[in-house]
Amino acid sequence: MAYRSRHTPRQKSPKLRFVFLILLAIVFVIELFIHSQKISYFFRPVWDKPPAPFTRIPHYYAENVSMDHLCRLHGWSLRSQPRRIFDAIIFSNELDILDIRLRELYPYVSKFVILESNTTFTGIPKPQFFASNRARFAFAADKVIDGLFPGQVATPGSHRDPFVLESDQRKSMNKLLHHAGIMNGDILLMADTDEIPSPHTLKLLQWCDEIPPVMHLELKHYMYSFEFPVDYSSWRATANVYGPLTRYRHSRRTDVIFSDAGWHCSFCFRYISEFAFKMMAYSHADRVKKRDFLCHKRIQELICKGDDLYDMLPEEYSFQEMIKKMGSIPRSASAVHLPAYLIENAHKFRFLLPGGCMREPE
Ligand SMILES: *[C@@H]1O[C@H](CO)[C@@H](O)[C@H](O)[C@H]1NC(C)=O
Ligand SMILES: *[C@@H]1O[C@H](CO)[C@@H](O)[C@H](O)[C@H]1NC(C)=O
């Protein structure tokens, strides 16, 4: 008290002002640390350049139009025999999406080649979900070749190079594809489980000659379910005409992309526990900063609102795009142009359809 009475607020001692500034600086540094990811993403348009844009191949389709006509609309010609299709899938824990994929593509695919690891990308041991759910996929057993990718358990302090991991995985997949009997001229699809090409895309790949040897597939991107369409930004999946130099990859290969070629449903899980598992296993596991990120109640609330599970800003290359994408994903009431098996079995997959955001806990 005595101290204060001797100084009016206007003439604070320089010492006090210094302490105040130091405190302010500390608070600022702590805030910066907590929100560093957000800040660096906010400034992404400044520090990062977008990759070269794709050249989009227009995609023509309507029900009951002949293959001959469809092929010719794309500048391709009709084959006398369909090509064989090999669907090479990296599987983690997307059991329901795998079910829809296998049911939807079964008539067009010769072999589903499924690679599953016994660790996550971040080096945590994981159950082999495909191997332990074989009964569920018995309907496709005659077309499934599956293999184990032996993962490496991360030890504290170790840091696995993601490029080494990708190249090991590629080798495993190439071996499995040989085992499945792939031959030059077959179509090879390279995709994650949740990147599902549409049946009419596969029919064009089967029946048309002169298609590009490698095409990216532009997939409509959904988050949590088909109730939350994000955009058409998904591009990693590819269709390849298999040749002596074809090697499995899941990254940028070429500049051409085939428009509107299917669906990419991210985090489209039935159970909250599967969300939590994927958040832990995801290669961006550094995003799981706070323990309460994995709290089931919080995850459920975010899913129903279409909000970001990681509380992140959209990863965009321009401020305009970023501002457009900030906040919740607008809800859609359309269940048109979705996989037929999903619509036929809507009662079994309510959680993937409009109005079905409430999940089961286990
Ligand atoms: C489908 O095509 C066939 C033969 O071109 C035609 O007879 C039939 O009416 C068409 N069906 C529909 C629903 O347009
Ligand atoms: C994964 O599988 C490989 C090959 O069977 C085995 O050597 C390794 O110990 C397994 N790792 C884990 C974490 O289970």
Side-chain angles (χ1 to χ4, degrees), residues 122 124 278-289 310:
T122 44
I124 307 163
K278 172 87 177 204
M279 289 171 75
M280 288 289 294
Y282 203 32
S283 29
H284 302 289
D286 56 315
R287 293 175 180 181
V288 188
K289 281 235 173 88
Y310 298 96

Side-chain angles (χ1 to χ4, degrees), residues 67-120:
M67 276 322 291
D68 179 42
H69 188 63
L70 286 177
C71 286
R72 279 190 287 117
L73 280 174
H74 292 86
W76 304 329
S77 59
L78 185 70
R79 295 167 56 89
S80 52
Q81 292 283 318
R83 291 191 181 87
R84 298 194 305 167
I85 296 182
F86 286 69
D87 187 18
I89 309 165
I90 303 283
F91 179 73
S92 168
N93 69 324
E94 308 89 349
L95 288 165
D96 286 284
I97 287 289
L98 182 66
D99 192 10
I100 291 170
R101 183 188 191 102
L102 297 189
R103 302 271 186 183
E104 195 74 8
L105 305 186
Y106 185 87
Y108 314 98
V109 166
S110 295
K111 287 277 188 260
F112 295 99
V113 181
I114 301 174
L115 187 65
E116 177 169 23
S117 175
N118 59 0
T119 69
T120 66

Side-chain angles (χ1 to χ4, degrees), residues 117-119 124-126 128 148-153:
S117 175
N118 59 0
T119 69
I124 307 163
K126 83 177 242 311
Q128 290 172 58
L148 168 70
F149 174 67
Q152 276 184 18
V153 178

Side-chain angles (χ1 to χ4, degrees), residues 259-272:
S259 301
D260 202 357
W263 310 273
H264 179 181
C265 202
S266 295
F267 286 90
C268 289
F269 294 116
R270 180 183 295 270
Y271 302 113
I272 299 286

Side-chain angles (χ1 to χ4, degrees), residues 122-123 152-160:
T122 44
Q152 276 184 18
V153 178
T155 48
S158 76
H159 219 76
R160 288 216 67 200

